[in-house]
Amino acid sequence: MKRELLLRRWGLALVAAVALAGAGLAGAAPAAAKTFRWANAGDTNSMDPYGRNETFLLQFNANIYESLLRRNRDLKLEPSLAVKWGQMSPTRWFFDLRPGVTFHDGTPFTADDVVFSFGRATHVNSGIISYFPSVKAAVKVSDLRVEFETRYPDPLLDQKFAQFMIMSKAWCEKNNATVPADLRKNEESYASRNANGTGPFMLKERKAGEKTILVPNPKWWDKPEHNLTEVVFAVVANPATRVAALKAGDIDRMYEVPPQETEGLRRDANVKVIEGPETRVVYLGFDHYRDELPDSNIKGKNPLKDKRVREIIYRLIDVDLIRRTVMRGQSYPTALMVAPGINGYVKELDKRPAPLKPEEARKMLAAAGYPDGLEFSLDCPNDRYVNDEKICQAVVSMLAKAGIKVNLLAQTRLKFFAKIALQTANPVPNIDMYMLGWSPSSTYDVHNVFEQLIECYDLERRKGQTNNGRYCNPRFDALADKVEQEVDPARRNAMIREATAIYLADYAYIPLHQQAIIWAARKNIDLVQMADNYFPLRFVKVK
C-alpha cells in the first residue's frame, strides 16, 4: 500500500499499473520461480531480426535467434550454429553447421535456412542489408555446409556473421514472411510479432509497446548457464517509474539508468549499479545533400553544405559541459566516430578543435554569408540514448548564444528512426540536423563506421546505409574500400589514419561522446554486462 501511495505521489500510478501489473509484475515472484523481470524506456519495435540495424532490437532478438558465430563475455568469436569455419581462398569461405539443431517449432536447422536467411537479410527492406556488400553468393554444399563467395577479399567477413541471425525457411514461407517488413514505413508482417529461432529463449507473448514474455527453449543445443523459467520485459517510459519499480522489487533490472538517478540507486542496499564504457559514440549529423534545408529560414541554399558553417556549429558545442551537467560525468567526450577499444581508433587524432566564443562565432557566420544568423531544425530521439533529449536541449541552448536558432523535435525511437532512415522510396530523409549513436558491433573495427556512416550512400554497393545526411567524399571512399580489403596491418593503419583525417577536416559529423553503460539490478541478480550493450539472457541467474 505504501508503494502504491508513493507512486501516486509521483504521478506514476497509471504508468506503473499498465507497464508492470499488466506484465505480471505487480509483486515480486517467489524466488523458486526464477522469473526475471526487466524494463527499458523503449520497446524492441519488432521481433524480426532484420527489422532494423539498431542495438536494442538486435540484442533483444539475439536471445531468440542465433547466428552462425557468437561472441563470448570478452566479445571474442566462438562457434554457435556453425562449429567450424574458414577460408578456402581469399574470396571463398566455408561454414560447417551444427548437427541436430532444431527451431522452436521443431523444424530441423539446415543449410537451406542459412541460404534463405542470407537472401532475406540482403533484401532491400532489411535493416541489415549493408552487412554483406562483399558477398556475391551463398551456396548450399550439403545440409550441414554453406559456402560464401565474395566479390573481393574481405578479412572481416567472419566477424559480420556474429550478428546475422538465422530464420527458418519453412516457417517464413508458411507465414508469408519471406521478405522483411520495412520498419521505415511502419510495415508489419507475421515475423514482426511472432518468432521462431533456435536460441536459448522462445517467445511466449508479445504486446508491442507494453510487454514481451520469453521462456527457456527446452531443446536448446547448448548447456544453459542461466536458471530462468520466465523472462518478462516491460516498456516503462518514465525513468522515475523504472527506478521506483526496481527499488520496490517489482522489476529485477533496468536497462538504462539516467545519470541523475545513479547515486540514489547506489545508496539502496538491495540494488547494485553496473557500469563501464560502451563501444557506442553518440553524434550529430548534418544534411549534406539538399540544396535547401526543409526547415530553415535560409531559402535557395543549404548552409549546412558549407564547411565553414559546420565548423562553427561543431566548435560551439561544449562536450565537456554536457559531460559535467547533462551526463553527470558519465560520458567520455571524443572527436572521433569510434571509441577507444575499437580496431582502427587513432588516439593522436582524438583532439577537438578550440571552442568558439559566441562573438567569435557571429563574426565567422557573417563571413560565411549569414550576418543575421540562421535557423534550422534538430531531430532527436527521446527514449533511445542516455539523456538524449536533454543533450539536444543543451546543444540548442549553446547554438542560440551565437545567433543560430535550432528548433528541436524530440520523439520516440519508433517515429524518429522511421523519419530519418534512408530508403529507396525516399533516399533523402526530411531532416536538417539529427542525433544518432553508433557502435561497430558487427566487426568492432573502424571500417564498419567508414562503410555504414561515412561512405557515400550507394544502395547497389550497400555503402553508406546509415549515412542519413548523405555526406560524400570520393577520396574518403577510395581509402575506405582499400581498408576493407587490406590484410597488411601497417598499410591498413596508415590508410585508416588518412581517412580519419579527411572526415575530421570536413567536419562531416559532430562526435559528442562515448556513452557509458549504466545498468542497475537487484542484488540477487547475476548478469554479464557486455561492452557493446548487448544483454545475453543466457548468462542471467536469479539467486
Side-chain angles (χ1 to χ4, degrees), residues 315-336:
R315 294 173 62 187
L316 279 169
I317 296 174
D318 189 338
V319 293
D320 291 314
L321 182 61
I322 290 173
R323 180 180 188 272
R324 292 194 307 271
T325 59
V326 180
M327 301 301 292
R328 308 288 182 96
Q330 296 171 4
S331 65
Y332 308 86
T334 181
L336 302 182

Side-chain angles (χ1 to χ4, degrees), residues 84-115:
K84 184 180 179 182
W85 69 96
Q87 287 184 265
M88 305 164 66
S89 75
T91 58
R92 199 163 190 90
W93 290 72
F94 75 89
F95 290 82
D96 288 338
L97 308 182
R98 187 177 298 277
V101 176
T102 61
F103 288 93
H104 296 158
D105 65 356
T107 305
F109 159 69
T110 71
D112 290 322
D113 301 301
V114 178
V115 174

